[in-house]
Amino acid sequence: MWGTSPFDEMLEKATSELRLAGDEDIALNLEICDQIRTKTVLPKSAMQSIKERLNHQNSSVQLLTLSLLDMCVKNGGGYFLLEIASRDFMDNFTSILKLPALNRKVQERMLELVQIWAVGFEGKSSLSYVTMVYKTLKREGFTFPPKDAVAANLIMVDTPTAPDWMDSDWCMRCRTPFTFRNRKHHCRNCGQAFDQACSSETLPLPHRGIVEPVRVCDSCFIELKMKNVPKNLEDTTVRRSQSQSRPGAKPKSAREQADEDLQHAIEESTPTAPDWMDSDWCMRCRTPFTFSNRKHHCRNCCQVFDQACSSKTLPLPHFGIVEPVRVCDSCFIKLKMKNVPKSLEDTTVRRSQSQLRPGAKSKSAREQADEDLQRAIEESTRRPTTPRLPRPLAIHDRPIPPLAPMEVLTARAAVPIPPKVNGDDFTSPDSN
C-alpha cells in the first residue's frame, strides 16, 4: 500500500490474517519491540498502529495483536508505557472490550492484559489511568482471571530508554553555530545536539537496548569507554598528567583534564595495527606480483601476500576490529590455535608421541603440539585450490641453440659441388 511505513509493514506481517492464533513470529515481534525501544519509530506512532490492528474484525488478527502488545509492554520501554496508559489508547481498548459481538477468547485475553497491567503499574502515578480502568471494569461486572504476579513483574517499568532529543542552534560542546555545511547531529546516549567534529564516534548502547553502533558525542564516548579501562591504568595516567604539567601553564578545568587523561588511557590500552609493508613478491611463497596475481595485506602482521597465501578471514578484537578481515595463513593458524581446547592439544601430543618411529629423535611437547594443531587446522579449513600453471617463457628467456663447432663448418665448406646437368652432356664421375 502506498504511504505505508516499514513499521506498519512489519506490524501487518506479524498480525497477518494468514496466521493462526497462537502462531506468533517471536523473532519478528522482538524486532518490533526493539524498534519501539530504540525510538526508530516514535512510541505514539507505534501505539496508533497497534490500536488500528486491534480494531480489526478478524479475531485471529486481534489475538495476534494482543500477544504482540503484551510483548511490547514488557520490552518497549517507559515511553511506550506512557502511551499505553494514556486515555486515547485505554478508552479505545475499553470500547472494544464492551462490544456485544466480541469473540470470547479475545475478551478473555483483553481482561487478562488489563489486570496484568494494573498490577504491574501499581504505585506509578504516570500510569495510574490503567488502574482506574481496571477498577471500573470490575464494578461493571466483568469477570477477571486469577491474578498472575509473575507476569506483572516482567513489565520493565523502570528500564532506561533513549532520551528525548534536545534542540539547539549551536553545538552544546564547542558552541559552534549550526549552518548548512556544519550540520546538526544528536548523541544517542545523552540526546544533546553536536556538530560533526564533536560527535564523530560510534558505540553500541546495550544499557539502552541498542546493540548496533550509533552516533555518540565525545564526552559520552570517553565516559562509556572509561568502564573498560583498568583502574590502575586510569590512576597512573591521571597522576602522570598532573606531575608533568608545565610551570606557568594555564590550569585546565577538572572536566577538561579528565577528558584528556581518559582519552590518553584509552589510546594506550587499545593497540593499533602496524603499518603496511611493501614488496614486489609474496612474502610467503615468493611469487612475483603481476596484473593477475594481485597484492594483498594481512591485517594482523601487515605483510604482503598473494591471494593463495591470504585467503582466510578472521575478526581481530585485539586491534578493535570486530568484522572478519583478510589475514595470511600464518596469522590464521596462530590466531586459531588460541581457540583450540587444552584437552585437544594434550590428546594430539600424546597421540603423536605414541606414533613416533623407533629411533627417531623425539620432539618437545610444544613443537609436536604446534605441528599437530597446525595439521588439524589445515585439514579443517582446507579449500580446493586451482593448481598454478608455470609462467610462459618470454622471448628473451627461451634457450638459444648452441653454435656449430668450427670443424663442422670447415667440413661443410670442403664438400664438392655437384656438376651442372645440361641434357646429354652429363658425365658420371665413374665413367673415367
Side-chain angles (χ1 to χ4, degrees):
M1 184 183 298
W2 183 85
T4 304
S5 65
F7 178 80
D8 291 335
E9 294 178 357
M10 293 174 58
L11 185 61
E12 291 179 5
K13 183 178 179 181
T15 60
S16 173
E17 296 88 342
L18 303 178
R19 292 183 180 274
L20 298 176
D23 186 23
E24 296 91 353
D25 190 342
I26 304 299
L28 183 58
N29 290 354
L30 288 175
E31 187 176 354
I32 293 174
C33 294
D34 290 340
Q35 291 211 2
I36 298 174
R37 181 183 179 84
T38 59
K39 291 190 175 181
T40 305
V41 58
L42 294 177
K44 188 174 185 63
S45 301
M47 182 269 290
Q48 295 289 348
S49 300
I50 293 176
K51 187 174 71 172
E52 291 179 3
R53 297 299 290 178
L54 280 176
N55 292 326
H56 203 280
Q57 300 298 323
N58 192 325
S59 60
S60 297
V61 174
Q62 290 177 320
L63 288 172
L64 291 171
T65 306
L66 290 172
S67 298
L68 173 62
L69 177 61
D70 181 33
M71 188 174 293
C72 291
V73 167
K74 294 176 180 177
N75 301 279
Y79 291 102
F80 183 71
L81 295 183
L82 293 175
E83 300 297 335
I84 295 299
S86 64
R87 290 181 177 272
D88 183 14
F89 181 82
M90 290 306 301
D91 290 347
N92 180 78
F93 198 85
T94 306
S95 64
I96 298 175
L97 190 58
K98 295 180 179 180
L99 291 175
L102 185 64
N103 183 275
R104 183 178 58 85
K105 292 183 178 180
V106 176
Q107 185 183 39
E108 292 176 354
R109 180 60 172 160
M110 294 179 72
L111 291 173
E112 179 186 1
L113 290 180
V114 170
Q115 181 172 255
I116 291 175
W117 297 343
V119 176
F121 298 164
E122 189 174 0
K124 304 293 180 181
S125 58
S126 59
L127 308 175
S128 59
Y129 190 68
V130 177
T131 306
M132 294 173 55
V133 170
Y134 170 66
K135 294 179 180 179
T136 303
L137 292 175
K138 288 189 71 174
R139 287 196 301 267
E140 293 178 357
F142 285 91
T143 304
F144 288 88
K147 290 185 178 181
D148 189 357
V150 177
N153 291 331
L154 293 177
I155 302 177
M156 300 181 181
V157 178
D158 298 324
T159 303
T161 55
D164 291 330
W165 285 2
M166 304 180 187
D167 195 14
S168 177
D169 294 330
W170 52 80
C171 175
M172 294 184 173
R173 182 179 176 89
C174 65
R175 316 302 294 177
T176 304
F178 296 125
T179 61
F180 180 76
R181 300 183 62 183
N182 189 36
R183 308 299 292 273
K184 180 192 302 184
H185 303 281
H186 285 87
C187 173
R188 270 58 173 179
N189 187 57
C190 64
Q192 298 183 9
F194 303 92
D195 58 4
Q196 172 65 23
C198 296
S199 61
S200 59
E201 306 292 345
T202 58
L203 277 179
L205 305 176
H207 58 284
R208 299 197 182 281
I210 303 175
V211 296
E212 296 294 330
V214 291
R215 182 186 295 272
V216 293
C217 64
D218 293 350
S219 300
C220 290
F221 178 79
I222 294 174
E223 180 182 352
L224 295 172
K225 276 287 188 178
M226 183 181 62
K227 298 178 182 179
N228 300 325
V229 177
K231 183 65 179 176
N232 56 352
L233 179 59
E234 179 183 349
D235 296 339
T236 303
T237 53
V238 171
R239 288 195 300 269
R240 185 179 65 243
S241 61
Q242 291 176 353
S243 62
Q244 293 180 354
S245 57
R246 293 177 297 175
K250 184 179 179 181
K252 299 180 180 180
S253 64
R255 180 65 181 175
E256 293 176 349
Q257 188 65 49
D259 290 350
E260 182 179 344
D261 292 335
L262 292 176
Q263 183 71 32
H264 186 69
I266 293 169
E267 292 176 355
E268 287 187 354
S269 62
T270 305
T272 57
D275 295 332
W276 284 3
M277 304 180 186
D278 194 14
S279 177
D280 294 331
W281 52 81
C282 175
M283 292 185 173
R284 182 180 175 92
C285 65
R286 315 301 293 177
T287 304
F289 297 124
T290 62
F291 181 77
S292 57
N293 189 35
R294 308 299 293 271
K295 180 190 302 185
H296 303 280
H297 284 86
C298 172
R299 270 57 174 181
N300 187 58
C301 65
C302 295
Q303 295 184 9
V304 191
F305 303 93
D306 58 3
Q307 172 65 21
C309 296
S310 62
S311 59
K312 309 291 192 304
T313 58
L314 277 179
L316 305 176
H318 54 284
F319 286 145
I321 303 174
V322 296
E323 296 295 331
V325 291
R326 182 186 296 271
V327 293
C328 64
D329 293 351
S330 301
C331 291
F332 180 81
I333 294 173
K334 180 173 65 174
L335 296 173
K336 274 288 187 181
M337 281 178 58
K338 298 179 181 179
N339 300 325
V340 177
K342 184 66 177 175
S343 57
L344 176 60
E345 182 178 351
D346 296 339
T347 303
T348 53
V349 171
R350 289 195 298 269
R351 185 181 67 246
S352 60
Q353 289 180 350
S354 62
Q355 295 178 355
L356 281 175
R357 292 176 298 173
K361 183 179 178 180
S362 60
K363 299 180 181 179
S364 64
R366 183 60 185 173
E367 292 176 349
Q368 189 63 49
D370 291 348
E371 181 179 342
D372 292 334
L373 290 175
Q374 180 173 349
R375 186 183 303 110
I377 294 171
E378 289 177 352
E379 290 179 357
S380 63
T381 59
R382 183 174 296 168
R383 297 179 182 177
T385 57
T386 305
R388 292 187 177 180
L389 299 176
R391 183 174 62 89
L393 295 175
I395 297 177
H396 57 273
D397 291 338
R398 295 175 182 173
I400 301 175
L403 296 176
M406 185 58 67
E407 293 80 1
V408 177
L409 296 177
T410 306
R412 288 178 181 175
V415 175
I417 300 174
K420 184 184 298 184
V421 179
N422 292 324
D424 296 337
D425 295 338
F426 173 76
T427 57
S428 174
D430 299 335
S431 59
N432 295 331

